[in-house]
Amino acid sequence: MEKKEKTGKFGKSVLWAVLSYLVISVIAGVCSVIRRSIQGGNDGTVSWFMIVELVLIPVLFYVAGRLGSKKYEFQKFATYKVWLFSFVFSAALLGLWYVLMVPYVLLNLPAAEGSYALDLFLRKTTVTQEYTVLFLSETDGYKYVILPLVHFVFRFVYWLLYALGNRNYAREQKERERARVRR
């Protein structure tokens, strides 16, 4: 009976994580449309809305972890499982970058939108390559190494923030239970 309950909780936690990611992806897509309409033709500068996105996307992951824990009464996620899931998910999308770009773009909206301000900053960084001064974005290293790794790190951090939301809620619940027992 207890094993069935644990399996049910695990299924709910995975379903909640997938649903949360899809909702956050839709919000990131809407943010992308808003950002483009605000910026107009000025795509080369970091706007105030990009800074809002830089903060908004991680907050959404934290809130999703907290809401899922509250709604489904999840226990505190095991740290190694969160790290493992974050790494596998981010690595799978990193591999998708090199294989199929269209699905990657659709699945990577939160990381792409959340890291767009950093992306623009890095693109405009100048480097010297074989006696030629280039923008970093004009190099193959940026396209095939730096940008995918920036997205990898952002995705990884976002899932850790999701887990932090869960852990904070679980800690607060434990403190409430202790307070009730003391009375």
Side-chain angles (χ1 to χ4, degrees):
M1 176 74 174
E2 189 176 309
K3 182 160 177 91
K4 185 177 180 183
E5 185 178 313
K6 276 191 172 189
T7 305
K9 288 276 188 183
F10 177 75
K12 285 180 182 178
S13 67
V14 170
L15 185 62
W16 178 257
V18 169
L19 181 63
S20 299
Y21 192 80
L22 291 174
V23 168
I24 292 169
S25 292
V26 169
I27 292 170
V30 170
C31 285
S32 175
V33 171
I34 292 170
R35 177 183 43 79
R36 289 180 184 162
S37 69
I38 288 174
Q39 275 187 299
N42 192 7
D43 280 341
T45 60
V46 176
S47 67
W48 62 271
F49 195 75
M50 288 180 204
I51 305 302
V52 169
E53 287 179 317
L54 186 66
V55 174
L56 175 68
I57 303 295
V59 167
L60 289 175
F61 273 90
Y62 176 83
V63 168
R66 194 168 172 86
L67 285 177
S69 298
K70 183 176 183 178
K71 181 174 178 153
Y72 295 109
E73 299 176 359
F74 297 144
Q75 299 300 315
K76 184 168 72 171
F77 296 146
T79 304
Y80 78 93
K81 288 180 182 178
V82 172
W83 281 80
L84 182 63
F85 171 77
S86 300
F87 182 78
V88 169
F89 180 79
S90 295
L93 281 182
L94 182 64
L96 199 57
W97 169 277
Y98 299 106
V99 179
L100 297 168
M101 187 57 79
V102 173
Y104 173 82
V105 169
L106 292 175
L107 292 172
N108 192 51
L109 275 172
E113 283 302 309
S115 66
Y116 197 65
L118 178 62
D119 179 23
L120 278 181
F121 172 76
L122 290 174
R123 285 181 190 199
K124 296 300 177 186
T125 303
T126 56
V127 294
T128 305
Q129 188 176 30
E130 297 179 11
Y131 303 107
T132 305
V133 177
L134 303 168
F135 286 118
L136 189 58
S137 62
E138 296 171 335
T139 65
D140 286 338
Y142 183 75
K143 181 178 180 184
Y144 295 113
V145 178
I146 296 172
L147 186 58
L149 288 178
V150 165
H151 290 169
F152 177 90
V153 169
F154 270 72
R155 278 189 306 270
F156 190 79
V157 169
Y158 290 165
W159 283 114
L160 293 180
L161 287 169
Y162 179 88
L164 181 64
N166 162 264
R167 293 176 82 77
N168 285 346
Y169 181 78
R171 181 181 40 83
E172 290 171 7
Q173 284 301 100
K174 200 175 215 180
E175 289 172 4
R176 284 187 195 126
E177 286 179 26
R178 285 182 189 158
R180 263 187 266 159
V181 169
R182 289 181 191 155
R183 289 183 204 175

